[in-house]
Amino acid sequence: HSVCSCLCPHFFLICVSCKHLIISVCVCVCVCVILHTNIKCFSSSHLQFMDSLGNNACKAKYEQIVPAFYYCPTQKDCMLLRDQWIRAKYERKEFVCVERQEPYSAGYREGFLWKRGRDNGQYLSRKFILSEREGVLKYFNKHDAREPKAIMKINTVNATFQPTKIGTAHGLQITYLKDNSTRNIFVYHEDGKEMVDWFNAIRAARFHYLQVAFPGTPNSELLSKLSRNYIKEGYMEKTGPKHTEGFKKRWFTMDDRRLMYFKDPLDAYARGEVFIGSKENSYTVLPGLPPNIQGYHWLFGITIVTPDRKFLFACETEEDQKDWIAAFQTVISRPMMPQEYAVEAYFKHKP
């Protein structure tokens, strides 16, 4: 993704999926070499030559002062993030002049976003305020309201782009903990820059909070905690704690160690949450269901064993089953952090 400087000659490698946007933004392009999936079509000497005269020079020029908290997308991220990253670098030149980073670096941000209603699903304009000094993100139901409708503590806030689920290219899902349960808020804005600025402003607020909360911790450790994408989402069937209830289709979200299930993907609150610990603490995932279990419609079962009970799920396809098992294994194979024991204890004593 490093392209187009006004150096000569112009040799560079660019991402195939972003090539049209890059070329439209970088009007001074003279020569363009597209990186094909088969990199063998270039010799190592060709690659080294193009890299030394193009990509590295462009990066040195256009990425001089990228803030540590700023999210640098990869090819796996949604098009909005990639689009705005390219425009921020080459069109707006935000990482050459620090004053141009004010929209997400100032520590305070105020504006209006379209927010999905919790009960009726209708999107209405709502005023949002992000304050690093107060350590909160809040929104107001009325433009002239004095009291916010919701106050989200920045230490529990997460933001992730969900264009497919929300149904708009600029859709952002914001979550926070309310009484230790996850609350979802779905927002968007017609202006892609506005949404990405909000996203990075939230990351900046979380970065500065973590720097104060965990002094001496290397930035490299803090950066992975600024925002997170979900490990996996999708439909499965589930049954209740007695295993005699009928299986019901639910939307599941694996958010770190929280497995949440919803009746609808855009529900504000989960119908339930399951804590997924580590193998050292007697958590296990098994393919299939125990014998004599009835009431499921989908044939590919999963059993999660915890210290207190078994959770039973069924997937529609074998591929879904394998993907979910892999996701659970990712979490279970990771040792628990000290703070996660407190979360586990809350789940065990949850009313």
Side-chain angles (χ1 to χ4, degrees):
H1 282 285
S2 292
V3 299
C4 185
S5 66
C6 292
L7 306 172
C8 189
H10 293 285
F11 291 104
F12 40 81
L13 303 175
I14 65 176
C15 168
V16 172
S17 62
C18 301
K19 63 183 178 182
H20 298 298
L21 173 62
I22 292 172
I23 293 171
S24 69
V25 170
C26 305
V27 294
C28 60
V29 171
C30 299
V31 179
C32 174
V33 180
I34 305 298
L35 176 57
H36 293 274
T37 52
N38 183 10
I39 199 169
K40 293 180 180 178
C41 62
F42 300 108
S43 69
S44 58
S45 59
H46 284 148
L47 291 171
Q48 185 177 8
F49 177 69
M50 289 186 288
D51 190 43
S52 64
L53 290 178
N55 295 62
N56 287 343
C58 287
K59 189 169 184 176
K61 179 176 180 178
Y62 290 101
E63 299 180 33
Q64 293 178 38
I65 45 175
V66 180
F69 61 79
Y70 195 96
Y71 187 79
C72 303
T74 71
Q75 72 274 13
K76 295 181 180 180
D77 286 299
C78 66
M79 182 53 75
L80 174 64
L81 279 169
R82 289 182 284 159
D83 174 281
Q84 290 301 316
W85 168 243
I86 291 167
R87 293 188 184 280
K89 284 200 293 185
Y90 308 124
E91 208 171 55
R92 301 190 293 268
K93 298 181 175 61
E94 292 178 14
F95 311 126
V96 176
C97 179
V98 70
E99 287 77 13
R100 295 172 183 170
Q101 300 171 11
E102 190 271 341
Y104 43 82
S105 297
Y108 181 89
R109 184 173 176 84
E110 181 177 323
F112 291 90
L113 299 173
W114 293 101
K115 176 190 168 292
R116 189 179 191 273
R118 183 184 67 183
D119 300 318
N120 59 14
Q122 183 180 3
Y123 282 89
L124 297 172
S125 179
R126 294 290 183 253
K127 180 181 178 180
F128 281 77
I129 292 178
L130 174 68
S131 171
E132 282 191 19
R133 183 178 60 82
E134 297 178 46
V136 298
L137 172 67
K138 48 192 174 183
Y139 76 89
F140 301 78
N141 265 358
K142 295 182 179 179
H143 294 180
D144 58 352
R146 291 188 176 183
E147 297 298 322
K149 175 65 175 177
I151 299 176
M152 301 161 253
K153 292 183 178 179
I154 205 68
N155 64 317
T156 73
V157 168
N158 182 50
T160 178
F161 281 100
Q162 294 274 21
T164 302
K165 186 161 76 171
I166 296 176
T168 171
H170 301 169
L172 185 72
Q173 180 173 349
I174 299 173
T175 62
Y176 67 101
L177 293 183
K178 183 178 181 180
D179 300 325
N180 211 40
S181 293
T182 304
R183 167 78 159 96
N184 294 325
I185 291 179
F186 301 95
V187 297
Y188 77 91
H189 195 282
E190 298 90 341
D191 184 348
K193 178 184 183 301
E194 184 79 5
M195 280 315 309
V196 174
D197 283 351
W198 271 105
F199 175 65
N200 281 301
I202 291 171
R203 285 176 57 87
R206 282 189 51 78
F207 183 52
H208 298 141
Y209 160 78
L210 290 170
Q211 285 181 315
V212 174
F214 302 99
T217 303
N219 283 352
S220 57
E221 290 186 26
L222 300 180
L223 293 177
S224 63
K225 304 180 187 300
L226 303 189
S227 62
R228 62 190 180 274
N229 294 326
Y230 299 132
I231 297 173
K232 183 165 174 60
E233 287 192 290
Y235 283 106
M236 289 193 291
E237 291 183 334
K238 68 168 291 293
T239 187
K242 297 179 180 178
H243 299 169
T244 56
E245 305 90 334
F247 279 70
K248 295 180 180 179
K249 181 182 175 182
R250 294 289 183 257
W251 177 267
F252 284 81
T253 296
M254 190 74 206
D255 183 11
D256 200 27
R257 292 196 184 274
R258 287 177 183 257
L259 176 66
M260 300 170 283
Y261 56 91
F262 307 82
K263 190 172 182 179
D264 183 89
L266 297 180
D267 282 347
Y269 290 98
R271 291 295 182 96
E273 300 188 35
V274 179
F275 181 83
I276 307 295
S278 66
K279 60 185 178 182
E280 292 86 357
N281 298 87
S282 303
Y283 288 81
T284 312
V285 58
L286 304 170
L289 300 173
N292 303 321
I293 295 296
Q294 298 178 343
Y296 53 87
H297 307 92
W298 291 345
L299 303 178
F300 302 94
I302 297 175
T303 299
I304 293 184
V305 181
T306 78
D308 300 312
R309 57 168 284 197
K310 293 180 179 179
F311 293 89
L312 308 183
F313 309 109
C315 300
E316 187 174 17
T317 68
E318 186 177 9
E319 183 180 5
D320 282 346
Q321 179 198 43
K322 290 179 178 178
D323 289 346
W324 274 110
I325 289 176
F328 292 136
Q329 289 284 18
T330 298
V331 175
I332 289 173
S333 62
R334 192 177 73 229
M336 285 170 57
M337 304 288 287
Q339 59 268 29
E340 292 174 332
Y341 285 94
V343 179
E344 181 188 40
Y346 173 82
F347 272 81
K348 287 183 177 181
H349 300 96
K350 196 172 183 178

